[in-house]
Amino acid sequence: MVDKELKVIVKAKELMKHTYVLTSNANRYPKKFRHSLVDRMQIVSMDIYELLLESNRINNKTERYFRCETITKAIMNCDKLQTYIELSMELKLLNPKSAEYWSKMVSDVKFMSIAWRTAEKK
């Protein structure tokens, strides 16, 4: 299971970096979106990474429930980020190709996290 855990954490780190690169572009996200949508997107992407990293450090034998709950929080944050990406596209801040690529990154982290949580519950 170590390989999957590390891979999902690596993917979450890539997602966080991608989120920062895209949302830091002032031409893509004008100033009026900086303290609302952009801040939320950046914070949520960091939270996904941090929660998965924390989950990996929790003892799965003695604190399995807490570990699963922490993974669940990361999954919920993936859903939030996905919604913010959809909103960005609806507001014409992202083109469909960029939104699709970014959404795929989020989905990869989400489904890897779900698989990890499922394995932990067994």
Side-chain angles (χ1 to χ4, degrees), residues 44-106:
V44 167
S45 71
M46 284 178 30
D47 287 347
I48 293 166
Y49 170 74
E50 290 171 359
L51 287 162
L52 293 173
L53 188 63
E54 181 181 335
S55 298
N56 193 43
R57 302 292 186 260
I58 296 170
N59 186 318
N60 67 338
K61 290 185 179 17
T62 60
E63 299 179 77
R64 180 168 289 160
Y65 175 80
F66 184 63
R67 187 175 189 159
C68 289
E69 286 300 305
T70 306
I71 297 168
T72 299
K73 288 178 186 176
I75 294 165
M76 290 187 317
N77 279 326
C78 287
D79 291 337
K80 289 179 189 178
L81 184 55
Q82 190 69 44
T83 300
Y84 301 149
I85 293 167
E86 290 169 11
L87 177 61
S88 295
M89 199 171 83
E90 291 169 10
L91 295 172
K92 308 284 190 241
L93 301 170
L94 283 177
N95 65 48
K97 189 175 179 181
S98 292
E100 182 180 343
Y101 179 80
W102 197 0
S103 292
K104 171 82 168 82
M105 292 181 79
V106 176

Side-chain angles (χ1 to χ4, degrees), residues 4 12 18 22 25 37 53 65 72 88 99 119:
K4 280 189 180 180
H18 186 77
L22 252 72
N25 182 340
L37 185 58
L53 188 63
Y65 175 80
T72 299
S88 295

Side-chain angles (χ1 to χ4, degrees), residues 3-18:
D3 291 338
K4 280 189 180 180
E5 292 171 9
L6 294 177
K7 189 173 180 181
V8 71
I9 291 169
V10 168
K11 291 277 191 186
K13 189 174 185 179
E14 291 169 1
L15 173 62
M16 180 175 58
K17 179 181 176 185
H18 186 77

